[in-house]
Amino acid sequence: SPFCYWEMRNLLLAAVATLLLCSCSAAQREATSCGYNACPKPVPGRYNVHLVPHTHDDVGWLRTVDQYYYYEVQFIIDTVIEELLDNPERKFTYVKQLVKNGQLQFALGGWCMDDEATTHYVDIIDQHTQGLRFLNDTFGDCGRPRVAWQVDPFGHSKEHTAMLAQMGFDGLYYGRIDYQDQALRRKTRRMEMVWQASQDIGSPRADLFSGKLYDGYCQPGGFGFEYGDEPVQDDPQLYDYNVEQKVKQFVDMVNSRRQVYSSDHLMLTMGCDFQYQNARKNFKIYDKLIKAVNARTAAHNITVYYSTPSCYTKSVHDQNLMWTVKSDDFFPYAHQAHAFWTGYFTSRAALKRYVRTASNQFQAIKQTSCLAGLQRAGPQLEAKLDLLRQAMGVVQHHDGVSGTEKQVVAYDYALRVSTGINQAYSLLQSAWANLTGDSAAYSGMSSCSLANISYCPFTDSNNNFYLHFYNPVSHPVWHLARIPVKGRYYVVSNQQGQAVTSQTIPVNNGTLRVPERAGAKSSYELVFNVSTIPAMGFVVYRVAAAAPGSPGVSTFTPIQSVFMDSKPADGELDWRDGGSESLNERESLDYRPVFAPLKRDDVIEFSQLKEAKKSNPIGDSKMSYMAYYYGYPGNNSAPEFTASGAYLFRVTGPVVNETHVVWSNWTYQVLRKFANNGDSLQYSENELTVGPIPYDANTGREVIVRYNTQLNSSATFYTDANGRQVLRRVRDYRPTWPLQQTENVSGNYYPINSQIFLNQSDGSSFMVLTDRSEGGGSINDGQIEIMLHRITVRDDALGVGEALQEKGSDGRGLVVKVTHWLAADQSLPSSSRRRRELANRRYREPLIGYLTAEPKVKSWSGLRRPLPENVQVVTLDDWRGPNTKLLRLEHLYQIGEHPALSQPVTVALGQLFATFNILSATELTLAANQNLNSAQRLQWRTPAGGGTTVGDAAREAEERLQLEQDITVTLRPMQIRTFVVQVQYL
């Protein structure tokens, strides 16, 4: 039964636990083997109740993952295992023999139960691959979960579900959907459905049977025996004998719940957070309850038995019912009126950015380690990656990167990631030394993890150095480098030794006041273009201090004052919606902005925004401005507005022009327009530094940026799901139920992992690409709004027990620096290409290594030829031995986004990489735990059908032959294909 499992301490398995405890008689089980064969046999003609005892054990929330283990989880494991061994009829999840004989089953099986709003698709795939590989290595195929168990995340993603389907799951269960959606689904008996999660991948490959648990994942009221509810007292000689009352209570509860489901089966989740520390108590009472209910079956026609989510799924499937379908997602989530859980899309913005950059580093280290063949020297080098692999798995937790955990837990997550990066960095040094034969240069290679706040100890100590730019993208890219330096004048030389145009800019005041810069010596930023970094390769540039006037020396461009706008015009601040609600760490509000927009036409300009042809109505003199929303506890009257003036400064130079806007002493904005460098994917940049946010005992603040355009967006905007497929959003509308909107702002906020954009009917568009997961929407036509940073003054009364008030190293409020890339287009195909390619570059930013010694090799590519523009290497990782790799390729486009780039594309794998040949390839499911050819999933009936067609089968057979004979693969829109490949190093 489901203990969607926990961290097995000494085995380093960190996963949100839903312990699946199940007791089935030998007569009920169809066979004494694992999987579906070990399930209890339903009783025909009766209503079958699947009693699923479980515990939900977070890998961090109120305590850290280690604290939870030592305080609570170890006792759950000990007592449950003891009960299972005491009674072989029961099932649970942990010991090999229990798994083999079917007593113990797993649900989900990822390294954690991840968040679905703020996680990136690469991290989602990685953490599931890690957990499922552990289960396979430890328990074999009997340990393979059949269903996904996402019972606690705060909303559910379409892309996440599509990936679960492609991992081979037969079902998905969740605990939270919007209260209005749930009310309608209960009324119409549509609590279970087939979720068609990708129209690009199509049915049935991306379809997943999905069910909403009746009322969350905890036990029904009156049956929480660890919480002190009245137990079953079955001795008639005692005054408190209550069997008849408990049976009636149970039967009444079952009859109430069965009204909202369609099948003859009902799943009851009997447990909750960190329960079963006294497993004997629970099992003993449940045994009595089951016995008493079944003894009276003739009166109520109900049969109850221990079961698992997998067994429940199989039983429902075998009824061969017709199911309704769903094709949108479950965002945003509200549990009641005025209570939208959208604030967490932005909460702990610094942690969200750290996780995103760490993910990029993790992928790059895996790539380079494979290209260099480091595992040939022994597994000890690969072991250096384990800490980072585990840390990245744990932090995807739904109380991790989501930002919904206590502060001490957030620190623990960040520490784990930092420790992992530090340990894994030596692999980069070894990889480049091996690949270039130049250990002298690369043994001393350094990184600058605080370069985003213009602090780099390496450049503080060196005036002359080399920069190694590694590009993880599968195509050549250009990069705008910003390097912290001490002086004003430098000569930057490219890989051919030629001086390139460069510019130095003083570190701005918004950055200078970041307390984590304490001790920094850098007063300037050196800015230059790095052109054409090879695909999955590097170039080396040289930086040398120089005298003013030297040939090729950088241009020093001071920050010059423009003017101060001290008094906004009347009416500029009147943005009130007239409502308010309580602010909490997961919820967001109905907001009121405080700062006024700028009005000067000549202040803020972006590349395409002003330079587009006149028929493109995107330009706006108030293109970008910052504001914040007051958050009040309870239901308060509207606040009194306090306007702030804005100070304007300008930087003009050969590489970049900048407009600096000082909104207040805690908000600083830099708008950058780059010189045309020949790259076809031009964009502008908006850097926003926020904090420390002013705090008082009664006022929370949530800081936003708004982008105004003149586009007629017709209440429609678009956001990505986990960095992949794009979903159409319509203000104050839900596709599957008639929305009664209670919050004009928070009710229209959605998760933004990488992009949000507006389209107009004539093809004009405006896009914003983010550097981390954030929340935002389009509250007014032609406008994009994104939340940047937030603090709250009260706990949300939803369990965490503290307000969201992050501190910096100086003990004051945390300062957060955010960057957005902005662009506009006049045709949708052009816009799609720009969005997809820039989003890919944004996630896979070049890694910069700092060296004192001159490297021998100045340019190199890990690919013999770049991949097609619409294809990207998602994963290149060592697998089982030095000559076996895990390889994933993805198609970057959706159907219909671009006339050429949305077409299928074929890639020959054999001689793709520069350092090895691929000798053979076997295709796996997305999480790499099953051979795709032999993977079997349950098929579900829907009104539109959706089974595999004759054409699909023929195409798949052709592609298998293509892979076997030519080691060639074809990728279709949005497809990710996973292979284990045998290689031979050159």
Side-chain angles (χ1 to χ4, degrees):
S1 57
F3 234 93
C4 175
Y5 61 97
W6 171 250
E7 163 181 334
M8 293 182 75
R9 179 67 200 163
N10 296 323
L11 297 174
L12 298 175
L13 176 59
V16 169
T18 296
L19 195 60
L20 306 182
L21 333 165
C22 170
S23 177
C24 313
S25 70
Q28 286 178 305
R29 293 200 296 268
E30 294 179 351
T32 55
S33 60
C34 61
Y36 291 134
N37 288 333
C39 290
K41 189 174 182 180
V43 180
R46 294 181 184 169
Y47 194 72
N48 291 257
V49 176
H50 297 247
L51 194 148
V52 178
H54 79 106
T55 181
H56 179 81
D57 300 342
D58 296 296
V59 290
W61 179 36
L62 308 181
R63 292 184 169 124
T64 69
V65 57
D66 289 344
Q67 290 170 342
Y68 269 140
Y69 176 80
Y70 282 107
Y71 276 81
E72 301 179 78
V73 174
Q74 63 173 323
F75 307 114
I76 298 172
I77 295 173
D78 292 345
T79 61
V80 170
I81 293 295
E82 183 179 339
E83 289 302 302
L84 291 176
L85 295 176
D86 182 61
N87 182 355
E89 300 282 305
R90 295 189 178 124
K91 292 187 179 180
F92 183 53
T93 22
Y94 256 72
V95 181
K96 289 184 179 180
Q97 186 57 42
L98 296 174
V99 173
K100 185 176 180 180
N101 66 21
Q103 280 187 266
L104 187 151
Q105 295 183 14
F106 294 90
L108 186 62
W111 204 248
C112 72
M113 183 187 294
D114 57 21
D115 180 53
E116 298 190 35
T118 63
T119 44
H120 192 270
Y121 73 95
V122 174
D123 299 325
I124 294 168
I125 294 170
D126 274 356
Q127 75 94 3
H128 282 94
T129 300
Q130 184 180 2
L132 291 169
R133 179 178 178 179
F134 171 86
L135 291 179
N136 187 71
D137 290 351
T138 307
F139 303 111
D141 192 60
C142 281
R144 176 170 60 85
R146 267 59 173 181
V147 300
W149 192 251
Q150 289 289 110
V151 296
D152 201 20
F154 326 121
H156 300 281
S157 159
K158 185 176 178 180
E159 179 63 34
H160 191 277
T161 300
M163 290 190 289
L164 292 176
Q166 294 169 82
M167 291 175 190
F169 289 108
D170 287 324
L172 162 67
Y173 297 95
Y174 37 83
R176 307 177 193 271
I177 64 174
D178 188 274
Y179 73 103
Q180 295 182 39
D181 190 7
Q182 175 168 287
L184 181 60
R185 290 186 178 279
R186 284 184 176 181
K187 183 177 180 180
T188 57
R189 303 185 75 174
R190 292 187 296 114
M191 293 283 276
E192 295 172 327
M193 71 215 77
V194 172
W195 195 344
Q196 296 180 336
S198 173
Q199 284 62 56
D200 301 287
I201 302 300
S203 297
R205 295 168 192 80
D207 293 356
L208 193 57
F209 178 77
S210 304
K212 167 65 175 67
L213 302 179
Y214 182 84
D215 193 18
Y217 57 82
C218 292
Q219 65 281 309
F223 297 92
F225 302 121
E226 278 191 66
Y227 290 159
D229 285 346
E230 182 183 19
V232 177
Q233 301 181 63
D234 59 348
D235 187 343
Q237 300 183 55
L238 300 180
Y239 291 117
D240 292 331
Y241 175 79
N242 66 353
V243 170
E244 300 301 331
Q245 295 95 313
K246 293 302 288 188
V247 169
K248 182 180 185 304
Q249 182 185 19
F250 184 84
V251 170
D252 288 347
M253 177 268 295
V254 168
N255 283 334
S256 174
R257 293 186 175 213
R258 69 187 291 182
Q259 302 305 314
V260 308
Y261 294 95
S262 300
S263 76
D264 293 335
H265 297 267
L266 176 69
M267 177 164 58
L268 294 181
T269 52
M270 307 299 280
C272 203
D273 293 357
F274 297 96
Q275 288 194 7
Y276 289 82
Q277 295 184 53
N278 187 346
R280 184 170 185 79
K281 176 180 181 179
N282 283 306
F283 274 125
K284 190 168 185 178
I285 297 172
Y286 288 142
D287 287 347
K288 292 180 179 181
L289 179 64
I290 291 171
K291 179 180 178 181
V293 171
N294 289 341
R296 293 159 177 80
T297 296
H300 48 63
N301 201 38
I302 291 172
T303 296
V304 59
Y305 41 82
Y306 288 110
S307 186
T308 71
S310 300
C311 294
Y312 170 78
T313 303
K314 183 63 164 60
S315 296
V316 172
H317 169 268
D318 289 349
Q319 284 199 261
N320 199 31
L321 302 177
M322 183 74 71
W323 298 97
T324 60
V325 300
K326 177 182 178 64
S327 59
D328 57 323
D329 65 359
F330 286 105
F331 288 117
Y333 162 65
H335 71 284
Q336 62 187 25
H338 305 287
F340 285 91
W341 296 38
T342 54
Y344 83 96
F345 299 161
T346 296
S347 294
R348 303 197 187 281
L351 178 64
K352 284 177 166 62
R353 174 59 180 166
Y354 191 38
V355 171
R356 185 63 55 87
T357 59
S359 176
N360 182 35
Q361 292 179 66
F362 180 40
Q363 305 309 318
I365 292 171
K366 290 190 294 183
Q367 285 181 4
T368 54
S369 296
C370 284
L371 291 169
L374 294 186
Q375 203 177 69
R376 290 178 294 174
Q380 66 278 5
L381 286 178
E382 169 64 16
K384 291 186 176 182
L385 197 55
D386 286 347
L387 272 182
L388 181 56
R389 195 184 299 273
Q390 294 160 18
M392 290 302 298
V394 169
V395 78
Q396 309 308 320
H397 175 49
H398 59 271
D399 287 310
V401 67
S402 61
T404 55
E405 67 276 18
K406 278 186 177 290
Q407 183 63 61
V408 66
V409 180
Y411 288 149
D412 183 72
Y413 286 133
L415 179 61
R416 289 172 182 273
V417 173
S418 175
T419 303
I421 290 174
N422 290 339
Q423 178 166 298
Y425 192 75
S426 63
L427 292 176
L428 272 181
Q429 297 170 321
S430 299
W432 295 127
N434 285 12
L435 287 166
T436 63
D438 194 356
S439 59
Y442 286 100
S443 61
M445 185 174 70
S446 299
S447 65
C448 288
S449 59
L450 296 178
N452 66 316
I453 58 172
S454 303
Y455 178 25
C456 179
F458 179 92
T459 58
D460 280 354
S461 304
N462 294 278
N463 289 321
N464 303 291
F465 50 88
Y466 294 87
L467 297 172
H468 176 281
F469 296 93
Y470 175 67
N471 166 31
V473 177
S474 303
H475 329 117
V477 302
W478 75 274
H479 174 66
L480 185 84
R482 299 184 73 90
I483 308 298
V485 290
K486 294 186 294 184
R488 294 183 175 183
Y489 300 103
Y490 295 85
V491 173
V492 179
S493 305
N494 63 18
Q495 65 267 38
Q496 286 88 31
Q498 301 166 339
V500 300
T501 302
S502 61
Q503 177 181 349
T504 52
I505 306 169
V507 176
N508 64 65
N509 286 336
T511 301
L512 287 173
R513 59 184 174 78
V514 176
E516 286 74 20
R517 275 183 48 85
K521 299 177 183 177
S522 52
S523 300
Y524 305 93
E525 294 175 328
L526 178 62
V527 185
F528 56 94
N529 285 309
V530 184
S531 60
T532 318
I533 310 175
M536 285 180 63
F538 69 82
V539 294
V540 175
Y541 276 41
R542 181 174 185 265
V543 176
S550 301
V553 74
S554 55
T555 302
F556 172 64
T557 53
I559 300 174
Q560 299 175 326
S561 176
V562 179
F563 72 95
M564 180 185 76
D565 182 11
S566 60
K567 186 178 181 180
D570 293 339
E572 290 285 10
L573 299 177
D574 189 13
W575 292 83
R576 285 168 286 183
D577 293 320
S580 64
E581 64 177 325
S582 62
L583 174 67
N584 58 55
E585 293 173 14
R586 301 178 188 181
E587 298 173 19
S588 203
L589 316 182
D590 197 287
Y591 303 116
R592 307 162 196 81
V594 174
F595 288 132
L598 293 176
K599 298 177 294 173
R600 288 281 295 268
D601 290 346
D602 60 344
V603 175
I604 303 172
E605 298 180 356
F606 298 90
S607 56
Q608 291 89 357
L609 306 185
K610 287 286 187 179
E611 296 168 3
K613 61 182 182 182
K614 293 182 180 180
S615 61
N616 184 15
I618 295 175
D620 193 306
S621 61
K622 295 178 289 189
M623 178 59 217
S624 171
Y625 65 92
M626 298 178 70
Y628 66 79
Y629 294 127
Y630 274 138
Y632 284 92
N635 194 7
N636 295 286
S637 60
E640 191 172 282
F641 295 109
T642 304
S644 174
Y647 294 81
L648 270 294
F649 302 87
R650 184 186 292 279
V651 173
T652 304
V655 179
V656 60
N657 292 337
E658 299 183 345
T659 298
H660 294 230
V661 188
V662 184
W663 295 98
S664 73
N665 60 1
W666 55 275
T667 48
Y668 197 102
Q669 183 176 17
V670 181
L671 304 152
R672 298 189 175 105
K673 176 183 175 182
F674 304 114
N676 192 332
N677 58 3
D679 184 69
S680 62
L681 299 171
Q682 292 291 301
Y683 64 89
S684 298
E685 183 174 88
N686 191 12
E687 178 187 280
L688 306 123
T689 305
V690 182
I693 300 176
Y695 169 81
D696 63 63
N698 295 308
T699 306
R701 289 178 173 86
E702 303 186 298
V703 183
I704 64 163
V705 61
R706 279 180 174 161
Y707 300 100
N708 283 345
T709 76
Q710 296 173 12
L711 290 173
N712 181 9
S713 53
S714 302
T716 302
F717 58 105
Y718 301 82
T719 63
D720 70 285
N722 306 107
R724 294 210 83 220
Q725 60 177 304
V726 164
L727 278 72
R728 179 176 179 264
R729 312 295 193 183
V730 179
R731 191 163 56 251
D732 296 329
Y733 172 77
R734 304 291 185 267
T736 49
W737 82 89
L739 174 67
Q740 300 297 311
Q741 184 62 277
T742 61
E743 292 298 336
N744 294 333
V745 177
S746 58
N748 288 300
Y749 257 49
Y750 290 86
I752 306 166
N753 256 269
S754 68
Q755 56 193 274
I756 179 172
F757 60 95
L758 305 174
N759 285 341
Q760 188 170 266
S761 59
D762 65 356
S764 302
S765 66
F766 171 69
M767 70 191 72
V768 181
L769 295 107
T770 63
D771 66 348
R772 72 201 73 193
S773 290
E774 295 176 311
S778 179
I779 311 306
N780 298 290
D781 279 359
Q783 181 188 87
I784 287 176
E785 173 176 311
I786 299 175
M787 187 176 292
L788 307 172
H789 191 15
R790 62 194 299 256
I791 65 169
T792 69
V793 297
R794 302 284 175 84
D795 171 47
D796 59 11
L798 293 172
V800 76
E802 67 181 30
L804 179 63
Q805 295 172 9
E806 298 177 281
K807 305 296 183 184
S809 60
D810 60 352
R812 303 175 64 210
L814 183 68
V815 179
V816 169
K817 179 179 284 191
V818 174
T819 60
H820 292 159
W821 289 358
L822 316 172
D825 273 287
Q826 290 120 43
S827 74
L828 294 184
S830 175
S831 173
S832 296
R833 177 176 179 267
R834 193 185 307 274
R835 279 191 298 101
R836 289 295 180 184
E837 182 62 26
L838 289 180
N840 195 32
R841 292 187 189 182
R842 179 105 256 220
Y843 168 64
R844 297 177 170 91
E845 294 178 347
L847 266 63
I848 305 176
Y850 297 74
L851 308 100
T852 54
E854 180 178 4
K856 298 176 182 177
V857 179
K858 301 296 194 303
S859 180
W860 178 86
S861 176
L863 299 178
R864 298 186 202 184
R865 60 191 179 281
L867 284 171
E869 186 178 337
N870 50 1
V871 177
Q872 171 66 41
V873 172
V874 178
T875 304
L876 180 60
D877 197 1
D878 287 307
W879 197 233
R880 304 180 188 278
N883 296 315
T884 306
K885 311 297 177 187
L886 184 66
L887 173 65
R888 288 190 183 94
L889 299 176
E890 71 169 316
H891 195 300
L892 291 169
Y893 285 76
Q894 291 185 250
I895 292 173
E897 283 190 320
H898 193 279
L901 297 174
S902 289
Q903 299 302 313
V905 59
T906 299
V907 177
L909 301 182
Q911 297 183 348
L912 176 61
F913 295 98
T915 61
F916 56 77
N917 290 331
I918 294 178
L919 306 179
S920 65
T922 301
E923 188 162 11
L924 309 177
T925 53
L926 183 59
N929 68 326
Q930 298 177 74
N931 188 309
L932 186 64
N933 290 344
S934 59
Q936 298 290 325
R937 296 177 63 221
L938 301 179
Q939 301 298 305
W940 303 83
R941 293 178 62 214
T942 63
T948 302
T949 66
V950 174
D952 291 335
R955 187 188 73 193
E956 291 170 3
E958 180 182 345
E959 290 179 354
R960 283 195 297 270
L961 187 64
Q962 185 185 49
L963 182 64
E964 293 170 1
Q965 293 184 347
D966 303 326
I967 321 181
T968 300
V969 301
T970 297
L971 292 154
R972 302 179 186 279
M974 282 287 102
Q975 191 174 23
I976 301 177
R977 297 185 66 178
T978 302
F979 308 93
V980 59
V981 298
Q982 302 299 318
V983 308
Q984 183 179 59
Y985 281 92
L986 303 176

